[in-house]
Each structure stands twice: as structure tokens, then as C-alpha cells.
Amino acid sequence: MASIKRQQWRSGDCSVSKYQRTKGHNFERWVVNALKDAGHTAKRQLQTQGGGQACGSDVAVKSLGLELECKVGKRPNVKAALEQAERDSKSRWQVAVCKWDRAEPIVAMRWSEFLRLLEK
């Protein structure tokens, strides 16, 4: 009898456990709720379509025209998160929100983008 293999969730080249996916989704929900509490229209975006292709960033903030890439964990890679936001986001500003375990989240964006934001 042939063994049945479970389809694994893939993130880049490394497998991601169910715990890590849940932790990431919970952080995305936290970001959305914090933005809603601040009076903005925000929602989580669908991450994959059909063949597993990524489609956009993790959180869309319609009231600000932003898309956010969210990362949470023991040592989230801020540079990689920002690069992913730049690759996946179709919004005017590319922003990464990163949170280390048991710490306050930080927001990262390119310096040139930050200066453009200050001009508004």
C-alpha cells in the first residue's frame, strides 16, 4: 500500500510548522486590529492562489494606501522582510512590521521612502 504524503506548507526553501504559521497569522490579526483601533481600514490579505503563488503583502491598509509585510519570531530578518515587501507590495510605500518574541513591534522602510513620506 502506497504511503500518503501530507502536503507541506512551503515558505521559500524551508518548511514552516503549523505553530509558526499560526503565530504569524495571529500577529497579522493583531496588526489589523491595532490599525482598526487607530481608526484605519485594514484587513489581512489572501496569501496564495491556486498553485501556491504569493499575491501581495500580509496586511492592506486601505485608508492609508499601504501594504504591510509582517514577520514575527525569535529573530525575524528585517532586511528580508523589507525586501519581500518591496517585491510583493503594489502600494506606494513598502513597509515591514517585525516583532521579536516578547517585544514591541518595529516598523521598517527605506530611508528614501521615509523622506518622501515626510514631504506629504
Side-chain angles (χ1 to χ4, degrees):
M1 181 182 229
S3 63
I4 299 173
K5 293 183 180 179
R6 290 182 55 192
Q7 184 179 13
Q8 292 182 341
W9 181 273
R10 304 295 269 168
S11 174
D13 291 335
C14 57
S15 295
V16 178
S17 72
K18 182 178 179 186
Y19 171 76
Q20 291 168 317
R21 287 193 313 272
T22 302
K23 186 177 184 178
H25 294 169
N26 288 342
F27 180 57
E28 292 168 10
R29 287 184 195 96
W30 180 88
V31 168
V32 167
N33 289 330
L35 288 165
K36 285 181 177 178
D37 289 346
H40 298 286
T41 306
K43 72 175 206 169
R44 289 181 63 224
Q45 299 198 95
L46 180 64
Q47 291 301 297
T48 59
Q49 289 180 339
Q53 294 176 314
C55 58
S57 296
D58 296 326
V59 174
V61 188
K62 294 186 185 215
S63 60
L64 298 174
L66 287 177
E67 288 184 7
L68 309 175
E69 186 63 41
C70 300
K71 298 292 178 192
V72 63
K74 185 176 180 181
R75 295 180 309 200
N77 186 332
V78 177
K79 184 176 183 282
L82 187 54
E83 288 171 351
Q84 184 177 352
E86 291 170 343
R87 185 177 60 246
D88 296 345
S89 175
K90 295 171 182 46
S91 68
R92 182 175 178 167
W93 314 105
Q94 288 77 42
V95 180
V97 180
C98 299
K99 182 184 178 309
W100 284 258
D101 292 341
R102 296 174 293 286
E104 184 177 4
I106 65 165
V107 175
M109 67 188 317
R110 299 279 180 200
W111 181 253
S112 58
E113 297 297 313
F114 178 67
L115 291 177
R116 280 190 352 166
L117 180 65
L118 293 178
E119 292 173 359
K120 297 293 169 190

